[in-house]
Structures are given as structure tokens and as C-alpha cells.
Amino acid sequence: MKKLAILVCMNLLLASCSSSQNKTNTEKDITPETYANTITASELKTMLYTYASDDFEGRKTGEPGQKKAIEFIKSNYQSNNIPSPIAKDDYFQEIPASYFGKNIKDSENVIAYIKGKEKPDEVIIISAHLDHIGVSGSGDINNGADDDGSGTVAILEIAEAFKAAEKDGKGPKRTVVFLHVTGEEIGLYGSRYYADEDPIFPLENTVANLNIDMIGRVDPKHEASGKNYLYLIGSDKLSKELHDISEDVNKTYFNLEFDYTYNADNDPNRFYYRSDHYNFAKNNIPVIFYFNGTHADYHKPSDTPDKINYAFLETRAKLIFHTAWELANRAERIKVD
């Protein structure tokens, strides 16, 4: 009986050790890559073929197609149980027609978030514009698959990745906000309204803005190499630390070619001032603008979802997720120079 008792105890001890070891291994397997890998080319493609379809009529600010766009975005957040910071099931930051002028009708930004576990008052904002230029005088629909359907669906996938982490008890330390702005094509109105009129989260608590505007295509400069790349604009203008983090994330996980051509202070295109990040940068909030450059289909009906490089789009979205993850989970918020 004594030998039997010893054997039973030994078996229980071994089982306990095995269970503990398995748990440790499982926990080790839960890394940022685990959640980044939920971002897939196939899901991006499925969403973009809907979002940049003729049914959305080019998503012109205030028009019926733009209303379909905001409902599409809202339904994605609802289906993934990602809440709005405004009120339960109210994802729309309403902007009156009087704010736009130019015979533009009432419009809306769409906002969702994952609340931070340790520093909920500190906020990372990931943004993209939801609108496009509508229907041409000839009746052709400008689908805007790259501009900025690519940024829109990238944010939806990034949000799903953060939600998966939260479900596993790995939610971000800081709050991560998913901001889809309207009126970009007519003058950055949606982001200006958020920053100047109604910041849902105080600007002084906003750590950084990662803005995505056209990340689904390849421009003529980079076609020959066949390598994945991104233009980065603004990363070092307000925070050298943000720039260094961005570089380190890329080198650790991806090794994309980062092209800083348009980041030059004397850039004749002035892209730094031409997308929604600028309304955060002007308020001394560090920004990165992710951009694939212009192409022959820019602002034309031929900017369609069949021309998107979905493998590149997947990797670029993963890169932005990893950068946001690092900013949201590091011990100290990044410093403004």
C-alpha cells in the first residue's frame, strides 16, 4: 500500500508538471505575431470587394454611398463586439452640413475602440478616410479601392487583431482608437472636426496617430524591384522616438523598404499636409502617414479592387498593427521632441 501511494503521488506530480509546462508553452506562443496573423489577404480582399463596389457609388461625402460605407464599417465593429466610445451602438460622430459648406450634406466619422487595461486615458489613434470622390460627370463610379478603401479595410482587420488579443487577456495597456474620417477628399474635414471641434479623447492624452491613406498598390518607382515597400511621412517630425520605434518594428518583423522621399521638408507634393494625420500633427501629436504613392488610377474610375496587391496589403497592415501594439504596450508613452 505504501508503494502504491508513492506511485500515485509521483504520477500526480508528473501530471501537474506536464500541465504547468504545457501552460507555459502556450503562454509563450501568445505573441504579437499570433494576433498579427489574424490579418489575412483573403479577408482584406473580401471586404474591399464590397467596400469599393459600385453599390457604394464612390462614397462621396454626405451622399447615399457614403451612408452605406459607414453602415458597413459599423456592422463590422458590432459583429466583432468592438464597442464605440461615444455611446452603446452609437459609432457615428455626426458633422453638420454647415461645417462643410460647398453644398455638402450632413456626414459622419465612425469611431470604435479597445480600452486600455493599465493606462486607459492614454490613446493611440489609427485613422483612415472612409470617403472618396463619388460619381464622375460621365456617370462613371470612382470606387476608390486604394484611395482609401485599402486603409479602411486595413483598420478593420487591425481592430479584429487587437480584439482577439483582448479576448485572450492580452488587451493593450493603452487605449487604441479606430477612427474612420469623412470629408478627406474635400479638405480633411472629418479629421479637422475631430481634432478642432469634438475630440472624443482629449488631444493632450493622444500619444500618436498612425494614419493610413492608400496602402494597396505599387507606384511606378517601385514596380521594377518587386519588393514590398511603404512611403513613411512625418515619423521623425515631432518625435525621434516614434521614428526609431517604427524602424525597429520593421527590422524585427518585416524588412519592408521604407521610402522617406515624401518626408522631405521641401517635398513639392506637400503630402505631409494633405492627409488626415496633419490635423493631429498641427496639435503637436506625433504621427506616421503610411502611403504607397500615386499611380495611373489615382482619382479615376479605374481604381478598382482587382488591381490591389493583397499580399502587400496584408503585410503592410500587419506592420501597422505591430507598430500600434508597441506604442500601446511600452512602459512609457513616447516623448515629443
Side-chain angles (χ1 to χ4, degrees):
M1 286 293 291
K2 189 174 181 181
K3 287 182 180 179
L4 179 60
I6 291 170
L7 284 172
V8 169
C9 288
M10 287 179 68
N11 286 336
L12 287 171
L13 182 61
L14 287 169
S16 176
C17 288
S18 175
S19 174
S20 176
Q21 184 65 42
N22 288 339
K23 183 178 180 182
T24 301
N25 288 338
T26 301
E27 287 175 352
K28 285 180 180 177
D29 289 342
I30 296 177
T31 63
E33 295 100 314
T34 302
Y35 306 110
N37 287 335
T38 67
I39 299 170
T40 66
S42 61
E43 289 185 8
L44 289 161
K45 184 175 184 178
T46 297
M47 286 193 290
L48 190 53
Y49 263 83
T50 299
Y51 194 75
S53 68
D54 285 353
D55 287 345
F56 286 62
E57 301 174 326
R59 308 187 303 275
K60 184 177 179 180
T61 302
E63 297 301 320
Q66 182 252 302
K67 306 302 182 184
K68 289 182 180 179
I70 62 173
E71 291 295 340
F72 176 88
I73 295 167
K74 173 184 174 179
S75 68
N76 269 272
Y77 286 123
Q78 287 179 318
S79 64
N80 286 288
N81 295 313
I82 301 172
S84 164
I86 300 172
K88 182 177 173 58
D89 291 327
D90 181 6
Y91 291 81
F92 301 154
Q93 182 181 41
E94 297 175 356
I95 306 176
S98 58
Y99 188 75
F100 300 102
K102 305 178 185 178
N103 297 315
I104 301 296
K105 300 170 186 173
D106 294 347
S107 191
E108 304 84 9
N109 294 332
V110 185
I111 308 175
Y113 81 133
I114 303 287
K115 187 175 182 178
K117 295 194 303 179
E118 297 180 18
K119 301 173 184 285
D121 293 336
E122 295 184 12
V123 174
I124 315 297
I125 295 180
I126 308 174
S127 62
H129 70 90
L130 61 87
D131 62 307
H132 195 50
I133 60 174
V135 181
S136 300
S138 62
D140 293 325
I141 296 172
N142 295 278
N143 298 113
D146 191 27
D147 185 14
D148 188 26
S150 61
T152 301
V153 298
I155 289 187
L156 293 174
E157 280 286 270
I158 290 167
E160 286 185 35
F162 272 108
K163 184 64 179 182
E166 184 186 53
K167 286 179 180 177
D168 287 343
K170 303 291 182 180
K173 292 179 181 178
R174 293 176 178 83
T175 296
V176 181
V177 175
F178 312 105
L179 174 62
H180 302 260
V181 292
T182 190
E184 190 271 352
E185 298 286 9
I186 57 173
L188 313 185
Y189 278 90
S191 56
R192 177 152 58 90
Y193 187 85
Y194 179 94
D196 293 359
E197 306 293 334
D198 185 23
I200 304 299
F201 297 89
L203 296 184
E204 60 268 24
N205 293 346
T206 302
V207 174
N209 168 233
L210 305 180
N211 183 50
I212 313 171
D213 193 351
M214 298 174 57
I215 61 165
R217 293 283 295 270
V218 176
D219 73 347
K221 177 181 177 181
H222 295 89
E223 279 179 340
S225 74
K227 294 180 180 178
N228 203 347
Y229 73 96
L230 272 174
Y231 291 102
L232 267 64
I233 302 170
S235 64
D236 63 349
K237 291 190 182 298
L238 293 170
S239 173
K240 178 65 162 53
E241 189 175 11
L242 175 60
H243 176 81
D244 292 342
I245 289 167
S246 169
E247 284 282 338
D248 288 344
V249 166
N250 184 44
K251 289 172 184 173
T252 300
Y253 297 105
F254 302 102
N255 279 316
L256 271 66
E257 177 191 343
F258 277 178
D259 190 329
Y260 293 101
T261 299
Y262 298 132
N263 192 52
D265 290 338
N266 61 351
D267 168 35
N269 300 282
R270 292 177 58 82
F271 285 130
Y272 179 65
Y273 305 94
R274 288 173 53 185
S275 192
D276 294 296
H277 61 280
Y278 181 68
N279 283 314
F280 294 96
K282 74 182 186 184
N283 285 289
N284 216 34
I285 296 167
V287 302
I288 303 178
F289 170 22
Y290 299 95
F291 180 46
N292 54 219
T294 58
H295 43 74
D297 300 310
Y298 176 68
H299 278 197
K300 292 181 180 177
S302 49
D303 180 9
T304 49
D306 57 298
K307 295 180 179 177
I308 298 293
N309 185 322
Y310 289 96
F312 278 18
L313 177 56
E314 175 189 303
T315 302
R316 292 163 177 176
K318 286 179 176 179
L319 167 82
I320 298 163
F321 166 78
H322 272 283
T323 305
W325 178 281
E326 176 62 26
L327 293 172
N329 288 296
R330 59 195 287 105
E332 302 294 332
R333 68 181 284 174
I334 58 169
K335 297 177 178 63
V336 179
D337 295 337

